């Protein structure tokens, strides 16, 4: 009898230890993540925000064995974007990536409904959210647009363009930072080169798409005023600048992503001088790495973080940078790298103020809203 009791006691201890081991393993096992990207109102082939975000998500998830899919709303409304977030959650996705300011309303409606999901927003600012308090399961990345706008302004003038233009979409903070950065960069390059005849035409279309009215204004800029290159900044507003430029062999500077494929592919090879870019794919991959691989969401959740330069030597690592550029003797790739290094170490300073047009020695003709 004693032997039987001893055997039973030993077996009980084995099962208890095994159960404890299983419990401990379950406690330390990382949660399963699945990533869904919701497009704003475009598609993943838009060669802009959606495509850059999609490619960043896809690359990370394929490399790390993470389930990934994207969802496209049926139309351009908060309700339709909310419906796709709901659908993604219902399908088992617990990491939701949303590109662009248009998601502010949808995020405000959904992040509280799904406290166990993680939301990564790109370029949704405090101004977009209003008085909404950012919860711990939401992170939003915004960008120092003035820095890449400055780079584009320097590039334009050093590449020999003395009559430049800035056409913004609507005068929202991000677009204004791009514009004021561009003006500062053009001014700095002109002063460095000793040029006194650089002129910048400056205006907003008062909408985020081009149309016949804005194209007519751009025709005047290129054909009558003598503008050589326009930094077109704000959604589809670039179409009006590019249509006008194509008539006279003019040039355009792209925005947000490398727009060479879009602009040159549609309006003519060689039109795009450069693009002032945001590192959307880099942002996505960094955040997914921190959440899924490093278990470091606590360093990001509940915040809106402004991203800019993180390296003075590796320009591709920065969250703001230039895209494909028509390098020439006046502005080489080495010159660009030196400029970034100087901006990174603080020897070149760029103001992020949008209170008033920057003070310049070049001539800036402020047209306000051109429509």
């Amino acid at each position: 009898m004693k032997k039987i009791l001893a055997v039973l006691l030993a077996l009980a201890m084995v099962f208890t230890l095994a159960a404890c081991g299983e419990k401990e393993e379950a406690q330390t096992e990382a949660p399963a993540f699945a990533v869904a990207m919701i497009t704003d109102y475009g598609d993943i082939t838009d060669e802009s925000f959606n495509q850059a975000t999609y490619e960043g998500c896809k690359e990370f998830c394929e490399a790390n064995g993470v389930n990934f899919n994207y969802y496209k709303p049926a139309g351009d409304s908060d309700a339709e974007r909310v419906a796709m977030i709901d659908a993604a959650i219902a399908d088992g996705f617990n990491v939701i990536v949303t590109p662009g300011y248009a998601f502010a309303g949808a995020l405000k409606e959904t992040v509280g409904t799904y406290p166990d999901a993680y939301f990564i927003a790109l370029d949704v600012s405090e101004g977009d959210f209003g008085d909404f308090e950012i919860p711990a399961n939401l992170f939003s990345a915004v960008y120092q647009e003035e820095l890449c706008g400055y780079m584009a302004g320097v590039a334009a003038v050093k590449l020999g363009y003395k009559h430049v233009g800035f056409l913004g979409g609507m005068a929202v903070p991000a677009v204004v930072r791009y514009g004021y950065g561009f003006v500062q960069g053009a001014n700095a390059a002109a002063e460095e080169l000793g040029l006194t005849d650089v002129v910048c035409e400056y205006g907003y279309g008062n909408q985020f798409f081009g149309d016949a009215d804005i194209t007519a204004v751009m025709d005047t800029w290129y054909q009558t005023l003598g503008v050589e290159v326009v930094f077109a900044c704000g959604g589809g507003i670039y179409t009006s600048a590019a249509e006008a430029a194509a008539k006279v062999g003019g040039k355009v500077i792209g925005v947000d992503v490398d727009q060479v494929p879009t602009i040159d592919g549609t309006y003519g090879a060689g039109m795009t001088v450069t693009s002032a870019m945001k590192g959307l794919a880099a942002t996505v991959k960094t955040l997914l790495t921190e959440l899924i691989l490093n278990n470091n969401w606590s360093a990001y959740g509940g915040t809106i973080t402004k991203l800019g330069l993180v390296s003075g030597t590796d320009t591709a690592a920065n969250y703001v940078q230039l895209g494909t550029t028509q390098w020439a003797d006046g502005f080489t790739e080495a010159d660009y790298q030196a400029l970034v290094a100087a901006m990174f170490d603080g020897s070149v300073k760029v103001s992020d103020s949008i209170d008033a047009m920057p003070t310049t020695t070049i001539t800036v003709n402020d047209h306000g809203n051109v429509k």
Side-chain angles (χ1 to χ4, degrees):
M1 184 67 178
K2 290 182 179 179
K3 288 183 178 180
I4 294 173
L5 288 173
V7 170
L8 291 174
L9 181 59
L11 286 172
M13 291 179 65
V14 169
F15 287 129
T16 300
L17 289 171
C20 288
E22 289 175 1
K23 183 177 181 182
E24 183 178 349
E25 183 178 348
Q27 288 175 339
T28 58
E29 184 178 344
F33 290 102
V35 177
M37 175 218 161
I38 317 295
T39 66
D40 54 5
Y41 41 81
D43 210 338
I44 58 169
T45 56
D46 66 355
E47 296 178 328
S48 188
F49 262 60
N50 289 308
Q51 184 168 345
T53 304
Y54 170 80
E55 290 175 351
C57 290
K58 185 171 183 287
E59 182 180 339
F60 173 88
C61 291
E62 287 182 349
N64 294 282
V66 177
N67 188 22
F68 170 65
N69 203 354
Y70 82 95
Y71 292 74
K72 180 180 178 180
D76 179 15
S77 73
D78 286 345
E80 286 159 318
R81 284 184 277 273
V82 167
M84 289 300 96
I85 293 173
D86 289 339
I89 298 288
D91 289 344
F93 292 92
N94 57 357
V95 181
I96 309 297
V97 182
T98 60
Y101 73 94
F103 276 97
L107 290 168
K108 288 163 70 172
E109 287 189 42
T110 54
V111 291
T113 305
Y114 304 110
D116 295 329
Y118 301 87
F119 292 83
I120 298 172
L122 304 178
D123 219 26
V124 188
S125 70
E126 186 175 354
D128 298 319
F129 282 120
D131 58 0
F132 179 70
E133 185 174 346
I134 306 301
N137 64 332
L138 170 62
F139 168 81
S140 185
V142 293
Y143 299 87
Q144 292 178 275
E145 294 92 355
E146 69 278 1
L147 299 184
C148 50
Y150 184 94
M151 297 171 194
V154 170
V157 172
K158 287 198 169 184
L159 287 171
Y161 301 104
K162 294 185 178 181
H163 201 159
V164 302
F166 174 81
L167 172 65
M170 299 182 73
V172 298
V175 173
V176 179
R177 283 194 295 270
Y178 267 129
Y180 286 5
F182 182 73
V183 168
Q184 291 177 72
N187 186 69
E191 290 183 344
E192 180 182 338
L193 297 173
L195 301 175
T196 59
D197 55 350
V198 173
V199 178
C200 178
E201 309 297 336
Y202 192 102
Y204 302 98
N206 204 27
Q207 60 191 41
F208 285 118
F209 56 92
D211 64 13
D213 294 334
I214 298 174
T215 299
V217 175
M218 292 298 98
D219 285 336
T220 299
W221 280 22
Y222 281 106
Q223 297 180 30
T224 304
L225 300 181
V227 169
E228 301 161 291
V229 59
V230 170
F231 179 19
C233 173
I237 199 82
Y238 76 89
T239 59
S240 281
E243 287 170 8
K247 298 170 187 175
V248 294
K251 302 290 186 179
V252 172
I253 293 171
V255 75
D256 289 337
V257 298
D258 193 334
Q259 285 199 291
V260 168
T262 303
I263 296 174
D264 286 23
T266 304
Y267 299 97
M271 181 178 288
T272 311
V273 173
T274 190
S275 297
M277 291 174 51
K278 297 176 180 178
L280 302 171
T283 307
V284 167
K285 287 186 278 189
T286 296
L287 266 295
L288 293 179
T289 297
E290 290 295 276
L291 169 61
I292 296 173
L293 303 184
N294 297 342
N295 191 29
N296 194 31
W297 178 259
S298 60
Y300 299 88
T303 67
I304 299 175
T305 300
K306 187 173 286 188
L307 304 177
L309 301 178
V310 295
S311 175
T313 55
D314 182 1
T315 57
N318 291 320
Y319 292 109
V320 288
Q321 55 187 262
L322 292 183
T324 303
T325 302
Q326 296 176 0
W327 311 116
D329 290 344
F331 190 65
T332 65
E333 191 165 6
D335 293 331
Y336 167 54
Q337 292 169 342
L339 173 62
V340 172
M343 294 170 69
F344 182 73
D345 69 22
S347 53
V348 168
K349 300 185 185 301
V350 184
S351 172
D352 64 355
S353 173
I354 57 174
D355 293 337
M357 180 70 71
T359 301
T360 63
T361 55
I362 66 172
T363 299
V364 179
N365 296 318
D366 190 348
H367 299 266
N369 288 327
V370 300
K371 180 179 177 180

